[in-house]
Amino acid sequence: QKIVELQAGDGWKTLNLAFGDLALADDSQDDNGRLDAAEIKQIAVADITTLLGGGEAAENVLRVDQVLFVLAP
């Protein structure tokens, strides 16, 4: 789980997230208690603005242009 906060009107952003920056979600369970690349079954991207109390906007738009998964050498 990795939370990235963006402000409305910031425009396009490039985000680079290293695997080491990610962690198991609070409601996840794992045999060894850590995130293992070989065991990943799902990656989700979500706008949770209204869940965090930011419901003042009439509409939120989340546009994802390109997603790359790169294996380290």
Side-chain angles (χ1 to χ4, degrees), residues 1-66:
Q1 179 176 351
K2 175 73 175 178
I3 297 175
V4 178
E5 294 185 31
L6 302 172
Q7 298 298 317
D10 276 354
W12 285 100
K13 297 289 182 195
T14 298
L15 301 174
N16 295 305
L17 304 174
F19 184 77
D21 293 339
L22 304 175
L24 291 170
D26 293 337
D27 61 350
S28 296
Q29 295 180 11
D30 188 79
D31 292 338
N32 63 6
R34 66 176 194 209
L35 186 62
D36 299 301
E39 296 177 4
I40 294 175
K41 294 182 176 130
Q42 179 180 31
I43 295 178
V45 176
D47 178 355
I48 59 171
T49 304
T50 56
L51 295 176
L52 298 174
E56 64 277 351
E59 179 179 308
N60 287 324
V61 177
L62 176 65
R63 293 187 175 111
V64 178
D65 182 43
Q66 184 178 39

